[in-house]
């Protein structure tokens, strides 16, 4: 007897890289079900606040519900506190929102990127039920296993847990980070069937949020 | 308008009493009915604290079995905002909805496999004459994939109490944050710090009420209170054990071996820290799910202090430096002429 399965994996990959004064968040725009492509132009990125951008991959229904939910909560926060939510605050809100559905999870793999209150880039990476961590870079989704090793190779810095604390490696410039993200997606597209079509890149820096779209392989 | 509609659906979803799976409905519906009877007569008490009702009806308590631990309040607190704006007792029992499905346990097992949540892995803590040492690795795995080598598994609940994380990362993070909130509320309500006994009991009671739902938490609460150093092991099965030495996680067996062998009650802080560091290092060496950095903390009468954070890869070469092997036959380049 066929049981109703509430979940579906629509594929896709999200990446975020943080630097000193900027943050790059990128995601592909392919929506798939099984071996079929349903859309080549479905955005996975949502701008939650002026310094905070969320990219999610996984089940599109839950992604849309989650992003809508967060946008609503952000609006309530603005009305209560008369300011937009900061990125670390949104990070904890997202973690709580995900955990409150611990027994019926949002099937979403999220990466939150933005600038913290000092203007430094920050990236928060999540699992499906809300465990989160602030990192310098992250990849989530079907292409994550192909992309993370490359980012580790290029961007890895000494662990923040080390004592005495060691200086982080000099981060890349903004244009270098964007180039790295483009290269990494091009490689992931070669080997992951769920990644491709178009790449949406969002850069957050002190002057605001800029979007860029580049074409990826459509096969 | 869209926002109001969204809030409406949010409230409606939260207000639905979730159906508990068969086999549990008998006891919990009895408990709920009792709770409702008592509740209706006493509008002033907040709905999410069944234990208070028990005390007010002490005479009845003799006749009825105490089911308060089984009773869980999953509905949202009353109010049009659905708990978004003012959530006074949110720290006590967060409103979590259940899926309305015929086989709850099978659904939980399936989703757990599907999403492959992050899990954490070797932690240890022990009491000695100068306080408590707490140590942990920093690797988190999602299935077979290492999702992070920089996870903070030692959680700072407050300046004199630490909690460790083993099991589900999200579960541990969320419930420790919740515990920290409750400890702070206790301080504000009672004008004194909460004891380690009290904090561990708060956590254990919450975890017991979620017993069987698939939470995976193996934590130790370590701290220094008026009675001196305190160490409790609390897990998602509802266990709460007081003890002097604990190690939790997939690498705990390896850590126990080294820890038990080198443990003495009278040690200096450096010796104790070194023992903990070596125990975690050995666990990371043999257990695939442990690795990253070893963090060692010491909790003394003035609170906790981080003693060290070392990468285990480098620790390996510190403990076992590479010895130059004698060369049997040396290859020399052929002359090019």
């Amino acid at each position: 007897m066929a049981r109703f399965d509430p979940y579906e994996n629509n594929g896709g990959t999200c990446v975020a890289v943080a630097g000193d004064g900027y943050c790059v968040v990128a995601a592909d725009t392919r929506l798939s079900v099984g071996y079929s492509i349903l859309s080549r132009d479905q955005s996975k990125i949502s701008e939650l606040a002026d310094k905070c951008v969320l990219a999610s991959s996984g089940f599109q229904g839950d992604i849309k519900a989650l992003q809508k939910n967060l946008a609503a909560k952000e609006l309530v926060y603005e009305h209560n506190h008369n300011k937009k939510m900061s990125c670390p605050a949104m990070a904890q809100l997202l973690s709580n929102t995900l955990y409150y559905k611990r027994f019926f999870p949002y099937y979403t793999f999220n990466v939150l990127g933005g600038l913290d209150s000092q203007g430094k880039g920050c990236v928060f990476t999540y699992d499906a039920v809300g465990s989160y961590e602030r990192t310098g870079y992250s990849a989530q989704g079907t292409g994550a296993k192909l992309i993370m090793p490359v980012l580790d190779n290029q961007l890895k810095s000494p662990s923040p847990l080390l004592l005495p604390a060691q200086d982080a490696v000099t981060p890349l410039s903004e244009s270098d980070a964007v180039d790295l993200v483009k290269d990494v997606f091009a490689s992931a597209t070669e080997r992951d069937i769920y990644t491709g079509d178009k790449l949406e890149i969002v850069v957050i820096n002190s002057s605001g949020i800029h979007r860029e779209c580049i074409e990826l392989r459509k096969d | 308008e869209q926002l109001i509609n969204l809030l409406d659906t949010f409230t409606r979803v939260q207000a639905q009493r979730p159906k508990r799976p068969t086999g549990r409905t008998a006891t919990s519906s009895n408990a709920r009915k009792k709770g409702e009877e008592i509740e209706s007569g006493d509008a002033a008490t907040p709905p999410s604290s069944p234990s208070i009702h028990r005390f007010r009806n002490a005479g009845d308590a003799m006749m009825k079995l105490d089911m308060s631990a089984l009773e869980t309040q999953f509905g949202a607190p009353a109010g049009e905002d659905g708990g978004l704006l003012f959530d006074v007792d949110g720290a006590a029992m967060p409103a979590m909805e259940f899926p309305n499905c015929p086989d709850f346990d099978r659904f939980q097992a399936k989703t757990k496999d599907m999403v492959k949540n992050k899990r954490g892995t070797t932690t240890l803590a022990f009491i000695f004459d100068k306080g408590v040492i707490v140590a942990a690795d920093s690797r988190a795995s999602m299935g077979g994939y290492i999702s992070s080598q920089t996870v903070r598994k030692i959680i700072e609940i407050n300046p004199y109490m630490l909690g460790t994380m083993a099991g589900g990362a999200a579960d541990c993070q969320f419930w420790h944050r919740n515990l920290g909130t409750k400890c702070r509320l206790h301080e504000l309500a009672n004008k004194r710090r909460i004891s380690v006994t009290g904090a561990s009991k708060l956590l254990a009671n919450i975890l017991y009420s979620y017993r069987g739902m698939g939470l995976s938490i193996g934590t130790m609460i370590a701290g220094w209170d008026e009675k001196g150093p305190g160490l409790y092991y609390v897990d998602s099965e509802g266990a709460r054990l007081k003890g002097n030495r604990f190690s939790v996680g997939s690498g705990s067996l390896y850590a126990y071996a080294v820890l038990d062998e080198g443990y003495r009650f009278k040690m200096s802080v450096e010796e104790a820290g070194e023992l903990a560091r070596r125990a975690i290092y050995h666990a990371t060496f043999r257990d695939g799910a442990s690795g990253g950095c070893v963090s060692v903390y010491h909790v003394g009468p003035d609170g906790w202090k981080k003693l060290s954070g070392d990468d285990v890869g480098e620790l390996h070469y510190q403990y076992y430096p590479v010895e130059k092997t004698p060369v049997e036959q040396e290859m020399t380049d052929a002359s090019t002429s």
Side-chain angles (χ1 to χ4, degrees):
Chain A
M1 158 115 184
R3 279 206 150 93
F4 170 61
D5 184 8
Y7 295 113
E8 186 175 83
N9 190 355
N10 297 122
T13 311
C14 308
V15 167
V17 175
D20 194 14
Y22 69 87
C23 185
V24 180
V25 180
D28 71 322
T29 60
R30 175 176 286 183
L31 181 76
S32 341
V33 170
Y35 286 124
S36 307
I37 295 177
L38 295 180
S39 169
R40 295 193 192 279
D41 199 6
Q42 176 71 242
S43 174
K44 295 183 177 63
I45 297 184
S46 158
E47 288 173 23
L48 296 173
D50 61 347
K51 297 251 183 296
C52 190
V53 169
L54 173 67
S56 325
S57 70
F59 171 41
Q60 198 64 20
D62 276 346
I63 291 173
K64 283 279 174 275
L66 177 68
Q67 290 181 347
K68 232 176 166 185
N69 206 332
L70 288 176
K73 287 180 172 169
E74 203 279 331
L75 199 55
V76 171
Y77 180 99
E78 261 189 69
H79 289 143
N80 281 336
H81 298 92
N82 201 18
K83 62 174 180 175
K84 287 200 181 281
M85 274 184 103
S86 66
C87 199
M90 179 55 82
Q92 188 156 311
L93 178 64
L94 174 55
S95 171
N96 282 331
T97 308
L98 291 170
Y99 197 81
Y100 272 44
K101 294 244 308 150
R102 168 67 175 76
F103 300 114
F104 189 3
Y106 284 110
Y107 186 20
T108 58
F109 298 97
N110 304 288
V111 175
L112 187 77
L115 302 179
D116 64 11
S117 34
Q118 276 106 17
K120 282 201 180 142
C122 57
V123 168
F124 294 90
T125 170
Y126 295 79
D127 72 352
V129 282
S131 133
Y132 79 114
E133 196 198 344
R134 179 172 176 172
T135 54
Y137 58 90
S138 178
Q140 290 277 8
T142 48
K145 291 188 186 180
L146 298 167
I147 293 178
M148 265 316 250
V150 179
L151 293 182
D152 280 332
N153 178 273
Q154 296 292 309
L155 301 173
K156 183 149 189 177
S157 52
S159 167
L161 298 173
L162 291 175
L163 192 74
Q166 286 182 21
D167 275 334
V169 167
T170 320
L172 298 179
S173 69
E174 188 183 307
S175 50
D176 282 344
V178 172
D179 285 341
L180 174 63
V181 165
K182 289 180 184 172
D183 283 340
V184 127
F185 261 97
S187 304
T189 306
E190 298 286 333
R191 294 288 179 178
D192 177 29
I193 62 173
Y194 298 112
T195 305
D197 293 328
K198 257 195 349 232
L199 173 63
E200 232 185 319
I201 303 181
V202 174
V203 182
I204 309 127
N205 54 25
S206 51
S207 54
I209 298 185
H210 315 277
R211 280 177 179 265
E212 197 186 330
C213 255
I214 63 157
E215 300 291 319
L216 293 173
R217 282 182 68 122
K218 300 187 189 319
D219 60 358
Chain B
E1 201 182 278
Q2 269 182 335
L3 179 60
I4 293 171
N5 287 338
L6 188 70
L7 286 175
D8 266 347
T9 39
F10 195 62
T11 321
R12 244 179 282 125
V13 164
Q14 299 272 42
Q16 243 174 28
R17 283 283 195 178
K19 264 202 207 113
R20 297 275 250 142
T22 51
R24 286 186 245 249
T25 38
T27 42
S28 56
S29 66
N30 280 340
R32 205 172 287 134
K33 249 192 284 171
K34 257 191 275 105
E36 274 162 17
E37 279 170 359
I38 300 166
E39 228 176 85
S40 57
D42 206 343
T45 46
S48 53
S49 40
S51 52
I52 294 179
H53 303 140
R54 198 159 32 92
F55 293 140
R56 287 180 197 235
N57 295 279
D60 295 335
M62 291 296 282
M63 299 302 289
K64 297 169 193 162
L65 289 172
D66 173 19
M67 306 277 203
S68 59
L70 295 173
E71 224 169 8
T72 43
Q73 307 294 334
F74 287 115
E80 332 69 71
D81 63 355
L84 271 181
L85 299 176
F86 301 111
D87 203 351
V88 173
D89 224 357
M93 205 58 111
M96 294 214 210
E97 49 176 90
F98 284 170
N100 197 355
C101 63
D103 192 348
F104 181 80
D105 296 314
R106 200 169 147 273
F107 182 75
Q108 291 302 314
K110 262 181 59 187
T111 33
K112 208 168 182 176
D113 282 330
M114 182 182 70
V115 296
K116 283 197 278 276
N117 295 322
K118 275 198 210 171
R119 305 178 68 79
T121 53
T122 310
T123 58
L124 63 81
F126 59 87
I127 293 180
F128 67 120
D129 69 331
K130 296 183 179 64
V132 197
I133 293 283
V134 184
D137 74 318
S138 69
R139 176 174 288 186
S141 43
M142 267 165 87
Y145 175 68
I146 296 174
S147 56
S148 174
Q149 291 272 62
T150 54
V151 178
R152 281 174 198 282
K153 294 191 189 173
I154 298 182
I155 297 152
E156 297 143 8
I157 299 169
N158 57 42
Y160 59 97
M161 227 190 305
L162 294 174
T164 59
M165 179 206 296
D171 294 333
C172 290
Q173 274 186 10
F174 182 88
W175 289 111
H176 277 119
R177 199 184 307 141
N178 188 273
L179 178 65
T181 310
K182 290 176 93 164
C183 288
R184 179 68 184 140
L185 287 172
H186 177 100
E187 270 182 40
L188 292 169
N190 300 86
K191 278 194 174 174
R192 55 186 266 177
R193 284 176 169 172
I194 191 170
S195 60
V196 182
T197 315
S200 60
K201 193 76 172 174
L202 278 176
L203 182 62
N205 285 343
I206 295 177
L207 296 183
Y208 184 79
S209 66
Y210 283 95
R211 185 175 141 91
M213 317 279 293
L215 291 189
S216 168
I217 300 178
T219 184
M220 296 177 285
I221 306 292
W224 188 293
D225 57 22
E226 289 163 357
K227 294 211 184 98
L231 177 62
Y232 283 84
Y233 164 75
V234 178
D235 78 9
S236 47
E237 304 302 300
R240 174 175 164 267
L241 302 172
K242 185 168 159 67
N244 284 335
R245 277 204 308 279
F246 287 113
S247 174
V248 185
S250 55
S252 63
L253 267 60
Y254 306 107
Y256 266 131
V258 176
L259 175 60
D260 289 339
E261 204 267 337
Y263 177 80
R264 290 178 326 277
F265 184 71
K266 283 189 164 20
M267 278 193 281
S268 71
V269 174
E270 289 78 30
E271 280 178 322
E274 179 57 27
L275 175 64
R277 197 174 310 122
R278 261 192 320 115
I280 298 280
Y281 156 75
H282 281 284
T284 60
F285 187 70
R286 284 293 177 181
D287 177 32
S290 304
C293 294
V294 186
S295 302
V296 182
Y297 284 68
H298 170 243
V299 189
D302 305 319
W304 57 259
K305 180 170 178 286
K306 184 161 180 175
L307 288 181
S308 69
D310 298 288
D311 184 286
V312 292
E314 277 160 42
L315 270 185
H316 174 82
Y317 292 106
Q318 271 181 39
Y319 291 140
Y320 303 103
V322 177
E323 281 170 25
K324 226 170 137 44
T325 44
V327 176
E328 287 170 36
Q329 279 186 335
E330 197 161 325
M331 274 175 66
T332 48
D333 287 331
S335 57
T336 50
S337 53

